[in-house]
Amino acid sequence: MASGFNFPSGGTPNANNTTGPLRPFFGATLDSPLQSYYQNTVQLEHELATQRDVSAQAATKELLNYGLIKYITLAIAAPFEAGHTLFQVQYLPNDTGLKKKEDDHIDTAEQERRDEEFRRAQEDAEDEEFFSSGSRPGGYYSSDPRNADHFPAPRSNVNKLDPSSSVFKDSKEVDQSGYLVRTDVYDDDMRPTFQLGPQEEGTWQVLKELVKLPTEGWFSLWKGQFTNWTYEILHLFAQPTLEATLNDTFNLYDDTIPLVHLDRVGPNIATIVASHVVVGVLLSPLELVRTRLVVQTRDPKQRKYTGMLNCISTIISEEGFTALWGGVNLAPTILYHTLTPLITNLIPLVIDRVFNISADDSPVLYSLAELGLDTLDLLIRLPVETVRKRLQIQIQAKIPGKRYETVVETRKRPYAGMIDCVRKIIQEEGGAPSRRRTRKRNDDDEDGEPKEPKKPWYGYWRVRRLYTGLGIHLTTNLALFAVSAVTKLQDDSDDW
């Protein structure tokens, strides 16, 4: 019987082997199946390890390249996003809103001021009565020769304080610390130097005025850029991963297949919306931080947050850990991250299955239908986005900290929630603008009369402040429609 082991010829097997006299010697002509399997396995593992190293290096390189491209892309769009955000959170009350704003101050500071004035009036009245009684014959301030060496008799033309006079009651609003309070957002004299005046012409005006402001400058156009990039990168990896996991769990079709090619789209749309909502809520603190960094002033002496991490730690220490996810921001976050993927994925389905329009057969008509539905999407989502950003800048600190100073005027009295925010925006900022609007040097026409500021075509609607920035969004949609239509027409001509 042939053996798979080779022993040296002539002599005791493995006589010269120092490892052990009874251990077999495996020669070069070994043909053992077990040993061949072992050698092949080792070689395969080595090749796989090499491939993994190469794949890891390639993946890391691709990830770095994508992250850099994403950062540059977001940096290009950052100024427009910053201007749009400032335009959304800006508080521009009408006459009703101004009266409401003044009444809000009466609730606290005004009541304290009136109490202080009443107390001082009582003291002045008591002092006046004391001096009057002392000026009678024999009194301390009388013309009695016995008191001539002390004080002369009071003059008859001395002005006395009259608490009932209008001049006595005419005073400025002050807070609890005695500082003046500006109750009119159109008052240039009391506006802080780090804050912009009322911006009513659109996003472009906000950007121009922001660059001109000494405390802001060009770098203010990229506030919150790193926070926005971090949010986009994390959302890019987390959302598709969760969506694929949900599809595998419920045995659904691959998420890479377009929804228009599926017979039953309901389950796939449900996983898409669910993944966006879950990831959106988990990453919502980054959106909160980004909005607050954009809205706050860049003045080093006045700004509250120095960066993303400092903003998160300050919110936790002053407002509590739950303020990052809960409170008045939770409902608008869920609603926004539900509507965004739902409408975006339903648009192709509506065009294909309801309108029966094919992109291959009628490219221009398809683009036109897409433009109309994108506009409808804008009309639905823009008010939610506006309300959400206004609620994000509300600070209800449990432990008082540094004051949150904003680069535009914001509503000082907090909103109670989404519904209250919508109602107050319509009541206080809707309709015709205030007659107490700020006048600038160039705001007069040739006759010297104040000119009406430029306003968008929807400027006098009651809901106009819910649709701030609508014009620039519509312009973008029209530009995309024109480019898409021309491209598809050119493709059709090339096919012919």
Side-chain angles (χ1 to χ4, degrees), residues 78-370:
F80 302 97
E81 291 291 335
H84 181 56
T85 298
L86 293 177
F87 198 43
Q88 285 179 310
V89 303
Q90 182 183 215
Y91 184 64
L92 293 177
N94 50 29
D95 291 334
T96 303
L98 286 174
K99 185 176 184 303
K100 178 64 177 176
K101 185 178 179 65
E102 294 173 357
D103 293 341
D104 291 341
H105 286 283
I106 292 178
D107 295 342
T108 55
E110 174 67 13
Q111 186 62 40
E112 294 179 0
R113 183 180 66 83
R114 290 180 178 179
D115 294 342
E116 180 66 17
E117 287 182 356
F118 180 76
R119 184 183 63 82
R120 291 180 180 179
Q122 279 189 326
E123 293 179 354
D124 293 339
E126 293 176 357
D127 293 341
E128 182 181 359
E129 182 180 359
F130 172 78
F131 291 127
S132 298
S133 61
S135 62
R136 292 193 293 267
Y140 191 71
Y141 291 94
S142 65
S143 56
D144 194 329
R146 293 174 297 179
N147 297 330
D149 296 334
H150 296 280
F151 294 98
R155 293 177 296 177
S156 60
N157 60 348
V158 173
N159 295 327
K160 300 179 181 179
L161 293 177
D162 185 8
S164 61
S165 64
S166 59
V167 177
F168 181 83
K169 295 182 178 180
D170 186 15
S171 61
K172 294 288 186 180
E173 301 286 348
V174 295
D175 57 12
Q176 297 179 357
S177 302
Y179 292 97
L180 294 176
V181 176
R182 182 163 58 97
T183 59
D184 188 356
V185 300
Y186 302 103
D187 187 2
D188 284 333
D189 296 333
M190 296 187 62
R191 180 176 297 110
T193 57
F194 56 82
Q195 192 173 89
L196 292 174
Q199 309 296 316
E200 300 182 86
E201 296 182 10
T203 304
W204 283 108
Q205 183 196 12
V206 175
L207 295 179
K208 291 187 294 184
E209 296 297 330
L210 196 64
V211 172
K212 295 178 182 178
L213 196 64
T215 56
E216 296 297 321
W218 286 97
F219 289 102
S220 63
L221 302 179
W222 286 274
K223 290 188 294 186
Q225 163 69 11
F226 180 75
T227 306
N228 190 25
W229 177 79
T230 304
Y231 170 82
E232 293 293 339
I233 293 296
L234 293 177
H235 192 278
L236 173 68
F237 286 97
Q239 188 275 322
T241 302
L242 180 58
E243 181 184 348
T245 303
L246 292 176
N247 289 338
D248 294 339
T249 303
F250 296 101
N251 296 322
L252 300 177
Y253 287 102
D254 188 5
D255 54 290
T256 59
I257 301 177
L259 294 178
V260 293
H261 298 307
L262 299 179
D263 296 332
R264 298 177 63 250
V265 297
N268 289 82
I269 291 181
T271 57
I272 292 174
V273 173
S275 60
H276 275 85
V277 170
V278 173
V279 175
V281 172
L282 291 177
L283 298 180
S284 60
L286 293 178
E287 295 180 293
L288 173 67
V289 170
R290 178 184 59 189
T291 303
R292 291 194 179 184
L293 291 179
V294 169
V295 178
Q296 79 164 352
T297 178
R298 195 168 171 266
D299 188 354
K301 297 181 181 180
Q302 303 294 336
R303 65 181 180 183
K304 183 180 181 69
Y305 310 114
T306 59
M308 180 180 67
L309 297 180
N310 176 260
C311 183
I312 294 177
S313 61
T314 304
I315 292 175
I316 294 176
S317 60
E318 294 182 359
E319 305 173 53
F321 187 80
T322 57
L324 293 173
W325 287 277
V328 294
N329 295 314
L330 181 59
T333 297
I334 295 176
L335 181 60
Y336 179 80
H337 288 290
T338 300
L339 292 176
T340 301
L342 180 62
I343 299 177
T344 303
N345 288 276
L346 283 179
I347 287 178
L349 292 173
V350 172
I351 297 176
D352 181 74
R353 301 187 180 184
V354 178
F355 298 159
N356 294 323
I357 300 175
S358 175
D360 298 329
D361 299 335
S362 305
V364 178
L365 189 59
Y366 186 91
S367 299
L368 187 61
E370 195 173 23

Side-chain angles (χ1 to χ4, degrees), residues 481-496:
F481 163 73
V483 172
S484 177
V486 171
T487 302
K488 291 177 180 179
L489 287 176
Q490 185 177 2
D491 294 340
D492 291 343
S493 62
D494 292 339
D495 294 339
W496 283 97

